[in-house]
Amino acid sequence: MRRTAALLLIGNEILSGRTRDDNIQYLATRLGELGIPLREIRVIPDIRETIVANVTDLRARFDEVFTTGGIGPTHDDITAPCVAEAFGVAWEFHPATYDMLKEQFGADFNPARQRMAKLPRGATPIPNPVSRAPGFSIGNVHVMAGVPRIMRAMFEELAPTLKRGAPVFSRTWHTLNLFEGTIADGLEAIQNAYPQLDLGSYPFHREDGRRGVALVAKGQDKEAVEQAAHAIYTLLKEKGGAPLEGEPPP
C-alpha cells in the first residue's frame, strides 16, 4: 500500500534565517520507515491566509500532513486557530488539556499560557512528554512543536497511531574520481527502466581532496530497488569507478 506525506514548516524565523530547521531530516527518515514517504515540504510565514490555504491544499493531496511551529503562547503562534479555520471548526479550550496545564503552571497559568490549551473542535491531543503542552491531530493533519526535541517526542507519541504503508528501501553506491557528467546518460537510462523508484546523484568534495559521486536508489518495491542498485554498480564499474556500498565517509 502506497501512502504519502507532506510537511509544512511554519515560522517567520525560519524564512529569515534566524532559526535553522533541524526537523526535516528526522521526519523524512522516520516517515520513510513507517512507509509514509515525505513527498513535499513547504516553508511558510506566520500569516493566517497563507497557513489556511496551505493546510487546505496539502490535506487534500496527501494521506498525512505534518506541521511544525507556531503552537506556543505568544501572539505569533497562530497555527492552531488557522488549522481550525481550514477545517471550518471552532478553536476552543480542550477541557482535559486546560486542566493539565492549569495543574502544571498553577498561579502562573496566565492568558498567554491558556492559549496552549485551545485546540480545534474535535482534535485529538498529541502528548508532549517534554514540556506538557500538546500538539494535536485533526483529520489527516498533525500539528507539532517546532523545537526539535519537543517535536521528536511528539512524533514518537503519534507514530504508533499512524496507518503505515510499504516501507521505503534504499541502496547507495559511491565512488571516487568519477563525476556526474560521466554517468548522467547511464543513470537516466536506469531511471527510465525503473520509473517507480527515486534515483539520486550526489557529488561530494571533501576537504582532504577526495571527490566523487554517490548514487542512490530508493523506493517501496524492494526487488526493483535491488535491481536498480545492481545496474548502478555496473554503470559505475563501466565508467571506470571502484564502487563502494553506502554513503561516502566524511
Side-chain angles (χ1 to χ4, degrees), residues 83-154:
V83 172
E85 183 176 343
F87 277 84
V89 299
W91 179 53
E92 61 190 13
F93 285 117
H94 184 266
T97 299
Y98 186 94
D99 291 344
M100 177 190 68
L101 294 179
K102 183 178 181 180
E103 180 181 0
Q104 177 180 350
F105 290 111
D108 293 327
F109 193 42
N110 56 36
R113 291 188 169 114
Q114 290 172 23
R115 282 173 53 88
M116 298 188 293
K118 298 180 75 173
L119 305 181
R121 180 177 295 172
T124 300
I126 301 173
N128 172 2
V130 176
S131 60
R132 301 296 299 278
F136 63 86
S137 297
I138 180 169
N140 62 337
V141 177
H142 313 285
V143 176
M144 299 180 294
V147 177
R149 185 166 70 101
I150 300 176
M151 184 284 298
R152 295 179 184 190
M154 284 184 177

Side-chain angles (χ1 to χ4, degrees), residues 13-24:
E13 67 278 7
I14 300 174
L15 290 168
S16 70
R18 184 183 182 280
T19 299
R20 182 183 69 182
D21 184 82
D22 292 326
N23 293 325
I24 294 174

Side-chain angles (χ1 to χ4, degrees), residues 145-214:
V147 177
R149 185 166 70 101
I150 300 176
M151 184 284 298
R152 295 179 184 190
M154 284 184 177
F155 182 82
E156 295 307 326
E157 294 285 338
L158 174 66
T161 72
L162 297 172
K163 185 177 181 180
R164 299 189 178 204
V168 176
F169 300 96
S170 178
R171 290 283 302 277
T172 302
W173 293 99
H174 74 272
T175 188
L176 296 172
N177 301 320
L178 197 63
F179 309 109
E180 287 187 304
T182 306
I183 51 90
D185 290 345
L187 186 62
E188 183 178 5
I190 298 171
Q191 178 69 85
N192 291 338
Y194 299 95
Q196 74 273 42
L197 302 183
D198 295 323
L199 302 189
S201 173
Y202 306 98
F204 60 89
H205 190 171
R206 301 296 186 248
E207 291 185 359
D208 61 5
R210 289 175 293 129
R211 298 186 301 166
V213 66

Side-chain angles (χ1 to χ4, degrees), residues 166-171 197 219-229:
V168 176
F169 300 96
S170 178
R171 290 283 302 277
L197 302 183
Q220 293 173 288
D221 184 332
K222 185 176 183 180
E223 183 177 352
V225 169
E226 296 293 340
Q227 292 172 354

Side-chain angles (χ1 to χ4, degrees), residues 8 10-12 44-57 70 75-89 91 115:
L8 197 55
I10 302 171
N12 296 333
I44 63 172
D46 299 299
I47 296 175
R48 183 186 65 80
E49 296 87 349
T50 304
I51 298 172
V52 172
N54 278 273
V55 169
T56 300
D57 176 46
H75 73 282
D76 57 345
D77 288 316
I78 61 172
T79 297
C82 291
V83 172
E85 183 176 343
F87 277 84
V89 299
W91 179 53
R115 282 173 53 88

